[in-house]
Amino acid sequence: MTGAVLALQGAFAEHEALLHTLGIKTIELREKKDLEEPFDFLVLPGGESTVQGKLLKELDMFDELKKRIDSGLPVFATCAGLILLAENIENDDKRYFQVLPVTVRRNAYGRQLGSHHMLLDFKGIGQIPATFIRAPYITSVSPEVEVLAKEDEEIVAVQYHHILALSFHPELDMDGRLYRYFLEHMAKNASDMASGTTSDKANVLPFSA
Ligand code: GLN
């Protein structure tokens, strides 16, 4: 299985390093022709969503990626990546892929609060370390979106079909469990469906790297 990591700006190298520890190959998406390489899932890293969104459009990668996400490409998104996917951004006029029916608030913890670190209860996994950096959180979700983690009352992790989106940065804590969760529940299924080895979208197969 190969993951494509959007490598225009932000914390993409850390995702690659973590995926390599799980035996997953990665490619970097830096320009349009990189989209011609085969890959099974997409990683949208943290960084600055406005910069990433602008570059995606300037480099003419936006429409092709949106088309693929719309047709079921599994996506693992952190922080700015969550903002790029959100249908609505509460405190910004810009919109990007709009494939995840949630509303996010950018820099939701205040610009002064650069970062914080904590243990979070994650549904189906248990306690995980979570590092937040000028993070967004989710202020509302459509009923079909599953909430996987909250910090106090704020939603910080969701799953929606083939999309896993997080406010925080698991790649900075070198904790592979969320990636395994994604690979088992979303990416492996999609890859098997594409290769015709299963026809049941709800069928969750055991992960093997
Ligand atoms: N504040 C950034 C934004 O609005 C997100 C921060 C991050 O990705 N760590 O895009």
Side-chain angles (χ1 to χ4, degrees):
M1 193 179 303
T2 302
V5 182
L6 187 69
L8 302 179
Q9 187 267 343
F12 53 87
E14 291 82 353
H15 283 286
E16 291 168 29
L18 203 135
L19 285 164
H20 296 164
T21 68
L22 300 175
I24 302 290
K25 287 197 290 289
T26 59
I27 60 165
E28 291 186 346
L29 302 180
R30 291 177 175 270
E31 53 183 329
K32 192 171 188 186
K33 77 169 171 41
D34 297 332
L35 294 170
E36 291 163 19
E37 298 289 316
F39 59 88
D40 303 295
F41 65 92
L42 173 67
V43 176
L44 295 177
E48 209 44 54
S49 53
T50 48
V51 176
Q52 294 181 6
K54 189 165 175 281
L55 287 171
L56 279 168
K57 288 189 179 154
E58 281 175 9
L59 295 164
D60 194 23
M61 298 165 78
F62 183 86
D63 291 343
E64 175 61 23
L65 275 177
K66 175 162 169 57
K67 198 168 81 191
R68 294 205 203 173
I69 301 169
D70 278 335
S71 29
L73 174 68
V75 188
F76 185 103
T78 55
C79 210
L82 159 64
I83 297 168
L84 290 183
L85 295 177
E87 207 164 273
N88 281 304
I89 306 170
E90 202 179 87
N91 50 351
D92 203 320
D93 294 337
K94 298 197 185 61
R95 301 286 181 272
Y96 304 97
F97 292 119
Q98 295 194 281
V99 290
L100 178 64
V102 303
T103 298
V104 295
R105 183 181 302 166
R106 288 186 64 201
N107 299 311
Y109 299 91
R111 281 191 177 271
Q112 301 312 315
L113 187 57
S115 66
H116 63 287
H117 184 84
M118 60 177 308
L119 284 175
L120 206 60
D121 279 322
F122 200 96
K123 192 171 173 186
I125 296 184
Q127 282 212 323
I128 56 156
T131 300
F132 293 79
I133 302 172
R134 292 184 301 103
Y137 57 63
I138 296 170
T139 52
S140 68
V141 298
S142 296
E144 65 272 31
V145 173
E146 188 177 5
V147 174
L148 296 176
K150 286 184 175 182
E151 182 193 11
D152 296 328
E153 285 311 300
E154 320 301 354
I155 300 169
V156 294
V158 293
Q159 177 175 345
Y160 176 65
H161 301 301
H162 54 293
I163 295 174
L164 181 66
L166 314 168
S167 294
F168 52 93
H169 289 268
E171 77 282 8
L172 298 183
D173 288 299
M174 285 309 276
D175 185 331
R177 285 174 296 168
L178 291 185
Y179 296 80
R180 280 210 191 82
Y181 178 91
F182 169 77
L183 293 164
E184 281 170 15
H185 290 80
M186 286 159 260
K188 180 96 171 58
N189 248 1
S191 145
D192 287 344
M193 294 227 320
S195 63
T197 52
T198 178
S199 56
D200 180 6
K201 200 168 188 170
N203 181 22
V204 175
L205 297 169
F207 169 69
S208 65

